[in-house]
Amino acid sequence: MKADKTVNFLMYLAGMAFNLAIMALLAFLVISAFNWGFGFGGDIAEEMVYVGPNYIVEFYVPEDISTTEMARRLEEEGIIPNRMLFQLELFLRGSSSDFRAGTYTLNLNMNNVELNRALRARPAEVAPHEVIRILEGQTIRDMAAYFEEREFFPAEEFIFVAQYGPFPFAFLLDVPMDRPNRLEGYLFPDTYQIPVNPSPADIIMRMLNNFENQFDETLRDRAEEMGMTIDEVVIMASIVEAETRVREEFPMVSQVIHNRLAINMRLEMCSTVKYAMEDPPLHLLIADIDRYAHSRHNTYRHDGLPIGPISNPGLRALRAALWPAGTDYLFFVLRNEETGEHHFSRTYTEHRAAADRYLG
């Protein structure tokens, strides 16, 4: 009897091993077909889509990086579409995590096999990399000045590439090519590792890839539920980011915007007028509003949202645009210039009383 149980147990283990082998084989075949499909589609797409220098990226690999971290960074920078598939394929091929540190030149059309091979070869150079920090609420003009100060390239060059560069992202399809500062709002603020002597496209691609990853399925589903386009969300979030520096107020400012739009009330946000000005003052005057009455960013003189984003918002502002506070406030006024806190009101009468109290 004991011998029978042992035989049965061994047969069970053998069956499990066989099933795992079959599953691994099927997974390998699926991934191979997946990669073949992408390669075949890429061959066709090359005849339809512009393929230029933006498809070549510099990728920095630090010492002792794990396969999991490598996959995460490759996906984050838009080099692979799915980190889990990349890791699974490396596992099925028995690849270790012995990646060579250095800076690699990669092509966005590489499949997982080609990437794995490239990242285990000796890199073109084991060179230092640059680190840049882009803050929430900065504009394209702010970034351009920062990059010029770092002596990467002239500010005008960055602005030109951001306006006219061919960046193949689906979320940009609804953004008019002729809109001033076309990529404003989509250059996601974060800390980035970039190659030494970067081009504007090197930096912009990393920012756009990051935006695509941050504006994930949860945010896209919520936007659809709210009846908003991605561009409308970004425009609203950029105003939220510009109107208050107090993070806890983000959902409340967002709700004011939603409430005003719902009753066809003009937004009348000072930040949108300031965006249209070359050298905006700290406090906006009626004369400034009148002088820039023609600008589609002037929400004192034009209905609805401005023509485009007025800053590059972070994730917290994007979420606030999609999940407002649920209040019935229509107004807010600065009540503490030092902390940046605001007083929120429901009626114009309350608002005027608060303005008299805090602004004098």
Side-chain angles (χ1 to χ4, degrees):
M1 182 68 69
K2 187 174 181 180
D4 290 342
K5 287 183 177 180
T6 301
V7 171
N8 289 337
F9 181 69
L10 291 174
M11 291 180 65
Y12 171 77
L13 289 178
M16 287 289 291
F18 178 76
N19 288 336
L20 287 173
I22 291 297
M23 290 175 65
L25 177 61
L26 288 174
F28 179 75
L29 291 174
V30 168
I31 292 171
S32 298
F34 185 81
N35 285 332
W36 177 86
F38 264 98
F40 180 72
D43 292 340
I44 296 175
E46 282 188 5
E47 299 179 5
M48 303 171 61
V49 181
Y50 171 80
V51 178
N54 292 328
Y55 283 76
I56 303 299
V57 296
E58 296 292 326
F59 184 75
Y60 176 74
V61 178
E63 295 281 355
D64 301 322
I65 188 171
S66 66
T67 301
T68 301
E69 177 64 13
M70 175 70 81
R72 185 194 69 77
R73 290 190 58 232
L74 285 168
E75 182 185 65
E76 186 177 278
E77 298 202 21
I79 298 171
I80 60 174
N82 188 295
R83 72 179 80 175
M84 298 301 294
L85 287 176
F86 180 80
Q87 288 179 259
L88 179 59
E89 181 157 341
L90 263 59
F91 170 75
L92 293 174
R93 292 179 179 276
S95 297
S96 66
S97 58
D98 298 329
F99 299 104
R100 291 176 179 267
T103 301
Y104 293 80
T105 300
L106 303 176
N107 192 301
L108 295 183
N109 288 322
M110 283 181 170
N111 59 34
N112 290 341
V113 177
E114 293 166 335
L115 281 172
N116 186 30
R117 186 183 302 118
L119 292 170
R120 294 172 192 282
R122 184 172 298 279
E125 55 174 331
V126 181
H129 57 276
E130 300 277 2
V131 176
I132 58 172
R133 175 75 175 115
I134 305 302
L135 302 177
E136 290 88 348
Q138 286 189 315
T139 65
I140 285 178
R141 287 178 291 189
D142 295 331
M143 295 178 196
Y146 170 61
F147 297 141
E148 182 172 84
E149 185 180 328
R150 293 283 300 268
E151 299 183 349
F152 292 163
F153 36 70
E156 293 79 8
E157 184 179 345
F158 182 80
I159 293 171
F160 180 86
V161 175
Q163 182 68 39
Y164 300 107
F167 299 105
F169 291 89
F171 57 81
L172 294 176
L173 292 177
D174 294 331
V175 178
M177 283 291 294
D178 59 348
R179 187 163 81 185
N181 298 322
R182 181 172 65 99
L183 297 186
E184 194 81 271
Y186 295 93
L187 301 183
F188 197 82
D190 206 341
T191 299
Y192 294 91
Q193 290 184 346
I194 60 173
V196 175
N197 299 320
S199 69
D202 288 330
I203 298 174
I204 291 172
M205 280 295 291
R206 282 167 169 76
M207 292 181 178
L208 294 176
N209 280 322
N210 199 1
F211 178 90
E212 186 170 53
N213 291 329
Q214 298 291 343
F215 206 99
D216 59 15
E217 186 175 358
T218 300
L219 271 63
R220 292 195 297 272
D221 289 346
R222 176 62 175 173
E224 185 175 349
E225 179 185 331
M226 297 280 287
M228 300 175 68
T229 66
I230 292 178
D231 199 44
E232 288 171 337
V233 174
V234 174
I235 293 173
M236 189 177 293
S238 74
I239 300 174
V240 170
E241 193 81 70
E243 283 290 327
T244 179
R245 63 178 188 267
V246 181
R247 298 294 183 86
E248 290 73 23
E249 291 184 352
F250 279 14
M252 298 169 70
V253 173
S254 170
Q255 188 65 72
V256 169
I257 297 172
H258 279 283
N259 289 344
R260 289 192 172 198
L261 290 174
I263 61 174
N264 295 320
M265 179 180 178
R266 284 183 178 169
L267 298 185
E268 298 187 347
M269 298 287 170
C270 294
S271 59
T272 64
V273 181
K274 289 182 179 182
Y275 181 79
M277 304 172 71
E278 285 292 329
D279 187 20
L282 182 61
H283 299 293
L284 205 64
L285 302 174
I286 297 297
D288 297 320
I289 295 172
D290 292 338
R291 188 178 304 114
Y292 289 88
H294 64 282
S295 172
R296 290 296 307 278
H297 281 102
N298 189 334
T299 54
Y300 280 87
R301 296 292 180 259
H302 298 276
D303 298 335
L305 292 169
I307 190 174
I310 62 169
S311 72
N312 289 276
L315 184 58
R316 193 158 183 169
L318 289 168
R319 293 186 65 84
L322 290 168
W323 283 277
T327 64
D328 56 356
Y329 294 132
L330 284 171
F331 305 90
F332 57 93
V333 64
L334 186 67
R335 68 182 178 90
N336 190 321
E337 193 145 357
E338 189 173 318
T339 65
E341 294 174 282
H342 292 82
H343 178 92
F344 292 81
S345 302
R346 293 172 176 82
T347 68
Y348 183 71
T349 301
E350 293 174 4
H351 174 64
R352 283 309 317 160
D356 291 340
R357 181 161 66 252
Y358 295 118
L359 301 182

